[in-house]
Amino acid sequence: MDTHEADPLAGSLTHTDSLVLAVRPLAALPTGQQLADANRSAAILLALLISFDEPVPPLDESPELVAHLQRLDQKLDLLMELVGQWLHRELALPPAQLLRLGARGVAWRPAQALPAGPASVRLYLQPGLPKPLELPAALRPLEDGSMLAEFVGLEAPVTDGLERYIFRCHRRAVAQARRPA
């Protein structure tokens, strides 16, 4: 057995976390305009998630304006969190589960058996943001009882966005581990 079969996500950076994951088996993978729409939506969401971690550039404006913008930012953060909590309840999402995310796919131990084949994978990457990252994938069970969803048909902006998102999560985890308790 080769290394890729033993660990299909090996060879690239991965992020292990407890996230909400919803999988919907499909009759066939999306093609054409459906696939282009999925890629566009995923690229936009990943760019937004990455922008959350970007520092605010220093403002050369008056201290009053800076304070006002900080208050607006805090209000928007609170609003996003409240809307996210409300939608999370309304959408009846499954509970978060431990998974490993890579640019090529996601691996997890499903609570119930899933059929191998085409699927739509929805990952809720930000608790305060109720919009999932929805990607087409091919499901296959692994020997250890876990399931792998290998992403299919991703365009370069989506793959690049996933790699950047995973790198930032990894960097954040390393920084948190180095902080004294």
Side-chain angles (χ1 to χ4, degrees), residues 5-166:
E5 180 64 30
D7 185 0
L9 298 179
S12 64
L13 192 60
T14 61
H15 174 59
T16 301
D17 202 349
S18 185
L19 297 170
V20 174
L21 168 72
V23 178
R24 182 174 45 98
L26 300 173
L29 289 168
T31 58
Q33 191 59 46
Q34 278 185 317
L35 184 58
D37 290 346
N39 273 287
R40 187 179 65 255
S41 178
I44 290 169
L45 179 63
L46 287 164
L48 174 66
L49 290 170
I50 291 166
S51 75
F52 285 159
D53 288 337
E54 291 177 1
V56 176
L59 296 172
D60 296 333
E61 303 294 326
S62 70
E64 296 84 16
L65 179 59
V66 171
H68 179 69
L69 289 175
Q70 287 174 336
R71 286 191 303 273
L72 283 175
D73 187 51
Q74 291 169 343
K75 290 175 183 178
L76 285 173
D77 287 345
L78 177 62
L79 182 61
M80 280 183 56
E81 183 177 338
L82 291 172
V83 169
Q85 289 173 354
W86 177 75
L87 280 174
H88 191 76
R89 281 193 312 269
E90 292 298 313
L91 294 174
L93 297 174
Q97 56 187 314
L98 189 64
L99 55 81
R100 193 161 62 112
L101 175 64
R104 293 191 305 246
V106 61
W108 77 102
R109 290 195 180 277
Q112 60 188 23
L114 291 167
S120 173
V121 173
R122 290 176 300 180
L123 287 158
Y124 292 82
L125 299 174
Q126 182 81 20
L129 186 65
K131 180 166 176 46
L133 177 65
E134 190 166 357
L135 300 171
L139 297 179
R140 70 178 168 102
L142 299 176
E143 290 180 2
D144 66 357
S146 60
M147 181 65 78
L148 173 70
E150 288 184 283
F151 302 138
V152 178
L154 300 187
E155 295 174 357
V158 178
T159 304
D160 293 346
L162 264 173
E163 289 172 349
R164 287 183 65 203
Y165 174 79
I166 292 165

